Amino acid sequence: GAGVSQSPSNKVTEKGKDVELRCDPISGHTALYWYRQRLGQGLEFLIYFQGNSAPDKSGLPSDRFSAERTGESVSTLTIQRTQQEDSAVYLCASSPTSISTDTQYFGPGTRLTVL
Amino acid sequence: GDSVTQMEGPVTLSEEAFLTINCTYTATGYPSLFWYVQYPGEGLQLLLKATKADDKGSNKGFEATYRKETTSFHLEKGSVQVSDSAVYFCALAASYQKVTFGTGTKLQVIP
């Protein structure tokens, strides 16, 4: 079956512009996660959805970042007034449930470059 | 808070050499432990996992044992191949599966 998909695969934007990143999880997966991976660094947790609600937004770096999920399916991560330090690969993952033993399935990521 | 510490790379080995990538963790409770791998040009994928103390995860010749007494989950493979060249991430999930990742170890295997 289809895996996690993300779009766009690459996004180049100018500082100060808003960007929207999309994630399509595996069908039936109730949990969805967003991570950020800066060059040469590990993954940084941003936000987690269980269904359409976000119990943990603690990883969002600032109020310029927001995310939503609708219909227990697609999620969008929005970054307003982008800054150069937002340049990174943004990864989305989904899992069947949110219990700790479940495997997360990752999408290919969106590479964001802020000029 | 939860944290994962793994050995820094890059690690360069000759084909058929023995591989160890060290990983230690700090967490409350009883986390699940994972190794994820990122091959060049590909997305992150699960390599193996262990969900309770003394469990051994294994896949593709790689193994890691969940050691609660030493809070470790070291990755090992007896004979690496060129195709194992990738970045390896140790990770833990403590509660509702917020996963905490290590910084990654790049492995390069040369023929």
Side-chain angles (χ1 to χ4, degrees):
Chain A
V4 177
S5 61
Q6 293 185 245
S7 60
S9 55
N10 278 285
K11 177 71 176 178
V12 180
T13 190
E14 294 180 349
K15 178 181 172 180
K17 301 282 189 183
D18 297 352
V19 296
E20 193 172 276
L21 312 180
R22 177 187 170 109
C23 172
D24 283 87
I26 293 172
S27 178
H29 281 194
T30 63
L32 185 148
Y33 304 79
W34 283 98
Y35 297 90
R36 178 167 70 177
Q37 186 178 24
R38 288 190 167 126
L39 186 64
Q41 298 186 21
L43 275 70
E44 176 187 3
F45 169 81
L46 298 179
I47 188 170
Y48 143 71
F49 287 92
Q50 176 56 45
N52 294 338
S53 64
D56 189 347
K57 303 179 183 179
S58 63
L60 293 178
S62 74
D63 59 8
R64 296 187 295 106
F65 288 71
S66 63
E68 65 176 18
R69 188 181 185 195
T70 55
E72 292 200 357
S73 181
V74 173
S75 175
T76 54
L77 176 69
T78 301
I79 309 173
Q80 295 178 309
R81 306 181 302 282
T82 52
Q83 303 294 313
Q84 288 183 333
E85 63 261 28
D86 299 334
S87 296
V89 176
Y90 289 82
L91 291 169
C92 173
S94 70
S95 62
T97 72
S98 58
I99 61 173
S100 63
T101 55
D102 266 1
T103 298
Q104 293 192 5
Y105 296 84
F106 283 82
T110 294
R111 182 176 298 278
L112 175 65
T113 303
V114 182
L115 301 177
Chain B
D2 299 338
S3 67
V4 175
T5 302
Q6 61 181 106
M7 64 187 287
E8 292 188 15
V11 174
T12 302
L13 295 174
S14 297
E15 206 164 21
E16 299 184 3
F18 184 86
L19 169 71
T20 300
I21 301 178
N22 290 336
C23 171
T24 58
Y25 67 90
T26 302
T28 55
Y30 302 94
S32 296
L33 301 175
F34 305 82
W35 278 100
Y36 283 86
V37 60
Q38 192 169 32
Y39 296 103
E42 297 185 20
L44 203 64
Q45 57 187 275
L46 179 72
L47 178 61
L48 54 84
K49 68 179 181 182
T51 60
K52 60 183 188 294
D54 300 324
D55 267 3
K56 178 185 284 188
S58 61
N59 186 26
K60 299 182 181 181
F62 290 88
E63 292 183 339
T65 301
Y66 189 144
R67 301 285 188 202
K68 192 171 190 307
E69 63 276 12
T70 55
T71 62
S72 65
F73 193 55
H74 304 321
L75 182 68
E76 297 182 335
K77 186 174 186 182
S79 176
V80 294
Q81 306 300 311
V82 172
S83 57
D84 295 326
S85 298
V87 181
Y88 293 81
F89 293 90
C90 185
L92 70 83
S95 54
Y96 56 80
Q97 232 228 54
K98 172 183 173 180
V99 182
T100 300
F101 286 84
T103 53
T105 302
K106 183 176 182 178
L107 170 66
Q108 183 177 11
V109 181
I110 54 178

